[in-house]
Amino acid sequence: MTEPDLHTVSTPLIESFLRSLRGKDGISNASRKTWNNFRADLHSFFSWCADSQRRWLPNNPASPIVKFKVNRGIPDVLSLGQAEALMNHVATFEGGALAPYFALALFAGLRTGEDGELHKLANHPERGKLIDLDNGVIHIQPEISKTGQYRQVKIRENLSHWLVDFPSPIFPINHSRLIKKVRARFGLTHDILRHTFFSMHIAAFESVGRAALEGGNTEGIIRRHYLNMTSAEEGKRFWQITATTKIYSR
């Protein structure tokens, strides 16, 4: 199939593509969540193409496409003990090669999908400036963010320790195999690290607005899914997890 020129991409063409998506069995239609995820990525891309700086398109052809309502249920969240056990493990696994990846996913809430924020940040030519340890902030540029909106994530003291103590690349050699091995060992579901970030953020700092700004989500979503998922005490202790300090009493 010939790839269309940018200006020829229409709403019906995008809808046709979305309807062609298939589930893991390769036969059934993809889930509504998958539809929404692809639609969101396309919407962000075409918004970028159509903004006032470029004007490569007169409008966003993905805007009219329906976004399905999906019942998310109760999100999977790591307990304090599970989070500490995970980070204690990655601190020594393969010489700590995966420590930056898991620290940024867990303590900065960056999306970890194959084309997610963490991958885009790792491959960004100005990664060193975006992860600003001196000023204690991660700059999530529009081209990195899933929503296409700039935001800042605070680098708290424990995350700073992880990044300074483990200055290796975010994605080391053979990272895919190694990450899958760790995820399997701890039974990590797809978004559990990001869910844990939100839950522990709310528990510790008691601000839906701050959590929304840092995590790139809406206050409504956070109120519906992340309130009272853990205690305030566990939330505070979560942000003390480092490679050298054991804070969980077994």
Side-chain angles (χ1 to χ4, degrees):
M1 180 178 178
T2 303
E3 294 183 359
D5 293 330
L6 179 63
H7 70 280
T8 68
V9 176
S10 62
T11 299
L13 182 60
I14 297 174
E15 287 182 327
S16 177
F17 164 72
L18 293 174
R19 291 195 180 95
S20 74
L21 297 173
R22 292 293 174 263
K24 292 182 179 180
D25 60 8
I27 300 173
S28 60
N29 293 332
S31 67
R32 289 189 168 190
K33 181 178 179 181
T34 298
W35 171 291
N36 286 349
N37 288 342
F38 273 89
R39 178 199 175 278
D41 288 341
L42 291 168
H43 189 277
S44 295
F45 170 71
F46 289 120
S47 289
W48 181 79
C49 293
D51 72 14
S52 59
Q53 293 182 352
R54 278 162 287 274
R55 296 182 182 176
W56 296 341
L57 293 173
N59 49 49
N60 187 334
S63 292
I65 296 175
V66 64
K67 179 179 179 180
F68 292 109
K69 291 185 177 180
V70 178
N71 182 10
R72 300 190 180 198
I74 299 175
D76 295 326
V77 174
L78 294 175
S79 68
L80 174 66
Q82 290 171 327
E84 186 191 31
L86 169 65
M87 296 310 296
N88 284 343
H89 177 71
V90 300
T92 57
F93 179 66
E94 296 290 326
L98 296 180
Y101 169 87
F102 279 98
L104 287 166
L106 190 59
F107 301 120
L110 301 186
R111 295 174 171 93
T112 60
E114 291 185 3
D115 193 36
E117 295 169 345
L118 199 45
H119 281 260
K120 292 177 181 178
L121 178 63
N123 295 323
H124 199 283
E126 295 187 322
R127 181 181 66 251
K129 293 182 179 179
L130 299 183
I131 303 177
D132 187 350
L133 291 171
D134 291 336
N135 292 306
V137 66
I138 301 173
H139 301 275
I140 306 298
Q141 300 286 37
E143 64 269 23
I144 294 174
S145 170
K146 178 181 178 180
T147 63
Q149 300 294 317
Y150 171 77
R151 75 177 192 274
Q152 294 183 2
V153 184
K154 182 177 177 61
I155 300 176
R156 293 177 171 81
E157 186 174 355
N158 72 322
L159 176 55
S160 180
H161 280 300
W162 282 104
L163 298 178
V164 170
D165 294 344
F166 298 90
S168 56
I170 296 174
F171 289 99
I173 296 173
N174 296 324
H175 64 269
S176 181
R177 177 180 62 83
L178 297 177
I179 290 170
K180 286 179 181 178
K181 190 171 182 179
V182 173
R183 282 186 169 272
R185 178 187 177 98
F186 289 90
L188 302 180
T189 52
H190 175 64
D191 283 330
I192 192 169
L193 302 177
R194 182 168 164 82
H195 293 328
T196 302
F197 165 83
F198 278 119
S199 300
M200 295 295 186
H201 194 296
I202 290 294
F205 308 120
E206 299 181 334
S207 174
V208 170
R210 286 173 62 187
L213 286 173
E214 288 191 42
N217 220 330
T218 67
E219 293 188 19
I221 289 292
I222 292 173
R223 287 194 179 93
R224 285 197 296 273
H225 299 289
Y226 298 113
L227 297 182
N228 302 314
M229 295 297 294
T230 188
S231 70
E233 179 62 23
E234 283 203 336
K236 292 176 182 177
R237 292 162 73 188
F238 171 82
W239 299 100
Q240 299 171 18
I241 296 174
T242 68
T244 57
T245 304
K246 297 187 183 302
I247 52 89
Y248 179 65
S249 299
R250 293 172 176 80

